[in-house]
């Protein structure tokens, strides 16, 4: 069902630890939404499939790259729960392992489950690589940015919302 224009669309990004990729995606997507004048219409959050870092702030390199791009952000890591499936309209996984985890948890068809890079059609990669051990945060930022822009365009079209999107 299509929601009314001023009704909230709710988006949650999901990775493994909720300290590197999904908090970066949350911050970048929220920034993009704000630039488009839709901050009141789109709620954004992030979580992880693993509980290793619950309560921790984002990884220092995630915070650094966000700072470099002028994006303010605070977050405490949390685990994805059954309640999140009720609350959020879109659960957007950073990689196929995260998506498989979400698919195993899903008991009804309410939330749309997808991969972030589904929304970056020019990108051959399907997974945003896990930077925790190999540290490729610059590549992760680039993929997150492109996926976030495509995701917003997708939501605007699907929900018939108008945004002054600065996506180019
Ligand atoms: P993230 O990265 O899923 O992008 O937050 C990771 C963070 C922590 C771990 C793995 C990936 N870990 O194994 O603790």
């Amino acid at each position: 069902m299509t929601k009314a224009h001023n009704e909230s669309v709710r988006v949650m990004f999901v990775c493994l630890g909720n300290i590197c990729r999904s908090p970066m995606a949350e911050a970048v997507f929220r920034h993009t939404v704000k630039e488009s004048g839709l901050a009141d219409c789109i709620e954004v959050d992030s979580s992880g499939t693993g509980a290793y870092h619950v309560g921790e702030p984002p990884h220092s390199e995630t915070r650094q790259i966000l700072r470099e791009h002028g994006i303010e952000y605070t977050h405490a890591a949390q685990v994805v729960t059954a309640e999140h499936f009720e609350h959020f309209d879109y659960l957007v996984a950073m990689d196929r392992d995260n998506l498989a985890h979400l698919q195993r948890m899903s008991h009804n068809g309410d939330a749309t489950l997808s991969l972030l890079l589904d929304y970056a059609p020019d990108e051959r990669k399907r997974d945003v690589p896990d930077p925790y051990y190999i540290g490729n945060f610059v590549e992760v930022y680039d993929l997150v940015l492109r996926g976030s822009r495509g995701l917003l365009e997708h939501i605007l079209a699907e929900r018939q919302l108008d945004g002054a999107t600065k996506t180019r």
Side-chain angles (χ1 to χ4, degrees):
M1 192 175 70
T2 304
K3 292 192 172 191
H5 282 204
N6 58 357
E7 197 173 342
S8 206
V9 179
R10 297 161 176 159
V11 179
M12 171 169 268
F13 296 95
V14 183
C15 63
L16 174 57
N18 193 213
I19 55 170
C20 301
R21 292 166 293 174
S22 64
M24 190 190 295
E26 178 194 342
V28 167
F29 185 70
R30 184 180 292 119
H31 187 78
T32 308
V33 163
K34 199 172 164 192
E35 279 190 323
S36 303
L38 292 165
D40 292 342
C41 304
I42 303 183
E43 179 184 325
V44 194
D45 200 353
S46 67
S47 65
T49 58
Y52 320 105
H53 298 279
V54 166
E56 293 180 20
H59 191 284
S60 58
E61 292 198 51
T62 287
R63 283 187 276 134
Q64 184 183 325
I65 205 155
L66 290 173
R67 240 188 341 265
E68 283 169 10
H69 289 88
I71 299 174
E72 297 286 322
Y73 183 61
T74 56
H75 181 71
Q78 60 178 337
V79 176
V80 65
T81 66
E83 287 70 35
H84 292 141
F85 282 75
E86 301 291 323
H87 184 77
F88 288 94
D89 302 300
Y90 299 89
L91 293 176
V92 183
M94 294 297 117
D95 66 33
R96 283 168 287 181
D97 286 343
N98 309 146
L99 180 61
H101 185 106
L102 296 178
Q103 286 165 338
R104 286 193 296 275
M105 284 181 77
S106 176
H107 294 301
N108 64 46
D110 278 359
T112 299
L113 308 184
S114 58
L115 288 171
L116 181 66
L117 294 184
D118 288 346
Y119 306 104
D122 296 341
E123 175 53 52
R124 280 178 46 231
K125 283 198 170 91
R126 298 204 60 212
D127 298 332
V128 178
D130 184 344
Y132 188 63
Y133 293 108
I134 49 177
N136 48 347
F137 282 80
V138 172
E139 183 197 5
V140 168
Y141 181 84
D142 175 63
L143 292 171
V144 160
L145 183 62
R146 287 161 52 211
S148 294
R149 288 170 169 172
L151 173 61
L152 182 57
E153 286 183 2
H154 173 84
I155 290 173
L156 294 182
E158 193 165 82
R159 302 293 172 133
Q160 297 170 357
L161 292 164
D162 290 323
T165 37
K166 296 177 186 166
T167 57
R168 299 273 175 248

